[in-house]
Amino acid sequence: MNSEKKDYLIVKLILGVVIGIIVGMNANESVIQIFMSLKQVLGQVIFYAVPLIIVGFITPAITGLKQNANKLLSTALLIAYISSIGAAFMSMIMGYILIPGLNISSDVEGLRELPEILFSLKIDPIFSVMTALITSILFGLAIIWTKSQILENIFNELNNVMMEIVKRVIVPILPFFIASTFACLAYEGGIIYQLPVFLKAIIIVIVMHYVWLFVLYCIGGGIAKANPLEVIKHYGPAYLTALGTMSSAATLPMSLECARKSSVLDREIVDFAIPIGATIHLCGSVLTEVFFVMTVSKILTGALPSVATMVLFILLLGIFAIGAPGVPGGTVMASLGLIISVIGFDQNGTALMLTIFALQDSFGTACNVTGDGAIALMLTGLYKKQK
């Protein structure tokens, strides 16, 4: 049932793009004003929820570490973080090399001007995204230091509440937000020229997924002094399952079954590394988001973000990915605050990010899941003798 819902969502998102473009290309001024109003209201709801999502997911992720605060977990966290930001830096380098050659134009000559909005609604967030991030970190650490069970329970409940808000409110309105955004972009006339760019970017990202998996398994084989093919050759069913479910959690039973078939992995380490990896290791999703952020920035502004901006974004994104919600596009949802505050995207930018990310979400998830096998291989090499 869970996978069916996710499959329906990706269909809705794609339909949102198609319907939005068709409406925008054929709409008169009165019709587009309705879509502009819909986009503004839904965007306000989404941006209102972003700081709450940050607090609701990051703080429980931090407090949860104390329950398994041992050397194995610390090493797994470090490897997962290094893998994610390593993939992101590779993506950044390739972005600076490849994106200028994608023939992206931000020329606005000849575009229609949008009419005045028909109706708008202002919904201010309770606090800013950076305030939410600092609050999450400080409260998470303080709860561990003081061993406050009451506050820990409260934030765990907040996590459950925000998950329901994401699933029942944010995710259902995304197709409408995306449809209205693309209707406005198509009305102006610029989006038609950018669709080929999206397809090229997705193909580039998928190729980079395979490159990074090759790197991870080579490192894992070197640390464990074992043939990495003895792990990855069993991962076909898990990869295909991840393509269908777009969820590391939903793929977890299959991932465990595949990893346990490997003759070079320690069973106890597998039973630890694969479940924790499904939560904290999002190398494919992070790699994807970095390249798409640069692509969308080029589309919207005609320029790529500065190196300093991208380095800051990547280092923080690696942290945010650990607390990402387990929904389609969870990484980009959890990091909307970074996209807005560090990269400086507006509603058009975030809508484009949500859409292009969703179009390849299954491949990013499959990369995440398959990469967990490499982490299990590394941990086996590091800790099997100690066990």
Side-chain angles (χ1 to χ4, degrees):
M1 180 67 69
N2 196 30
S3 63
E4 289 179 2
K5 289 182 179 180
K6 291 179 177 359
D7 289 338
Y8 290 150
L9 176 63
I10 192 68
V11 170
K12 290 176 183 177
L13 293 174
I14 294 173
L15 284 176
V17 174
V18 174
I19 292 173
I21 292 175
I22 293 174
V23 170
M25 292 176 62
N26 298 280
N28 57 30
E29 187 172 302
S30 299
V31 172
I32 206 64
Q33 282 181 311
I34 296 174
F35 278 84
M36 288 172 62
S37 301
L38 179 65
K39 170 190 168 186
Q40 195 276 338
V41 173
L42 295 181
Q44 289 286 298
V45 174
I46 292 172
F47 287 128
Y48 169 82
V50 168
L52 297 176
I53 291 172
I54 293 173
V55 175
F57 285 100
I58 301 299
T59 303
I62 294 174
T63 58
L65 297 180
K66 69 175 181 59
Q67 299 171 356
N68 299 291
N70 53 52
K71 189 179 292 187
L72 189 62
L73 175 61
S74 300
T75 306
L77 285 168
L78 180 62
I79 292 174
Y81 180 74
I82 292 175
S83 172
S84 293
I85 66 170
F89 277 116
M90 180 187 74
S91 182
M92 180 190 76
I93 293 170
M94 297 308 296
Y96 284 120
I97 295 173
L98 297 176
I99 292 175
L102 294 181
N103 297 321
I104 297 174
S105 174
S106 59
D107 187 6
V108 296
E109 290 186 10
L111 300 185
R112 282 192 290 182
E113 185 176 344
L114 289 170
E116 290 187 8
I117 193 169
L118 192 65
F119 171 79
S120 63
L121 183 65
K122 187 173 178 58
I123 308 174
D124 292 323
I126 296 176
F127 36 69
S128 70
V129 291
M130 291 309 295
T131 299
L133 174 60
I134 299 301
T135 301
S136 300
I137 294 173
L138 291 180
F139 268 79
L141 292 174
I143 289 171
I144 292 176
W145 295 334
T146 61
K147 300 180 181 179
S148 173
Q149 192 63 48
I150 294 177
L151 278 179
E152 182 176 353
N153 292 338
I154 289 175
F155 277 101
N156 285 335
E157 286 298 316
L158 177 61
N159 178 271
N160 295 333
V161 169
M162 291 313 303
M163 177 61 81
E164 289 302 309
I165 290 177
V166 168
K167 290 194 299 184
R168 297 175 182 268
V169 179
I170 304 301
V171 170
I173 68 176
L174 282 179
F176 299 98
F177 178 58
I178 288 170
S180 58
T181 297
F182 272 81
C184 296
L185 292 173
Y187 179 85
E188 290 178 303
I191 191 60
I192 303 304
Y193 301 105
Q194 305 304 347
L195 282 177
V197 173
F198 281 7
L199 296 178
K200 291 177 185 177
I202 290 172
I203 293 172
I204 291 171
V205 160
I206 293 173
V207 172
M208 284 196 290
H209 288 166
Y210 297 140
V211 171
W212 189 247
L213 288 175
F214 175 80
V215 171
L216 284 181
Y217 275 92
C218 285
I219 295 173
I223 293 175
K225 295 180 174 57
N227 185 356
L229 291 177
E230 289 298 321
V231 179
I232 199 168
K233 72 179 183 181
H234 299 290
Y235 255 87
Y239 189 90
L240 293 176
T241 302
L243 287 179
T245 64
M246 289 181 284
S247 167
S248 296
T251 310
L252 183 55
M254 182 59 70
S255 300
L256 282 168
E257 182 178 339
C258 292
R260 287 171 178 172
K261 291 179 180 178
S262 173
S263 61
V264 299
L265 294 179
D266 180 85
R267 177 64 175 268
E268 291 182 7
I269 290 179
V270 164
D271 289 347
F272 165 82
I274 301 304
I276 195 70
T279 305
I280 66 174
H281 186 223
L282 302 173
C283 60
S285 298
V286 170
L287 180 158
T288 299
E289 183 168 341
V290 168
F291 194 84
F292 287 170
V293 157
M294 298 175 72
T295 302
V296 171
S297 178
K298 179 70 172 175
I299 290 173
L300 294 178
T301 68
L304 296 172
S306 68
V307 174
T309 297
M310 288 308 303
V311 168
L312 175 61
F313 178 74
I314 287 170
L315 295 177
L316 292 176
L317 180 61
I319 299 173
F320 271 59
I322 295 174
V327 296
T331 307
V332 73
M333 287 292 295
S335 62
L336 279 179
L338 291 180
I339 293 172
I340 296 166
S341 60
V342 177
I343 305 298
F345 279 0
D346 57 10
Q347 288 191 7
N348 286 341
T350 53
L352 287 172
M353 275 298 302
L354 289 167
T355 302
I356 191 172
F357 194 95
L359 293 177
Q360 67 72 59
D361 194 23
S362 56
F363 289 96
T365 302
C367 180
N368 298 339
V369 166
T370 308
D372 294 342
I375 290 186
L377 186 59
M378 296 178 199
L379 293 175
T380 296
L382 291 170
Y383 290 104
K384 185 174 182 179
K385 289 183 179 179
Q386 294 184 23
K387 285 173 67 270

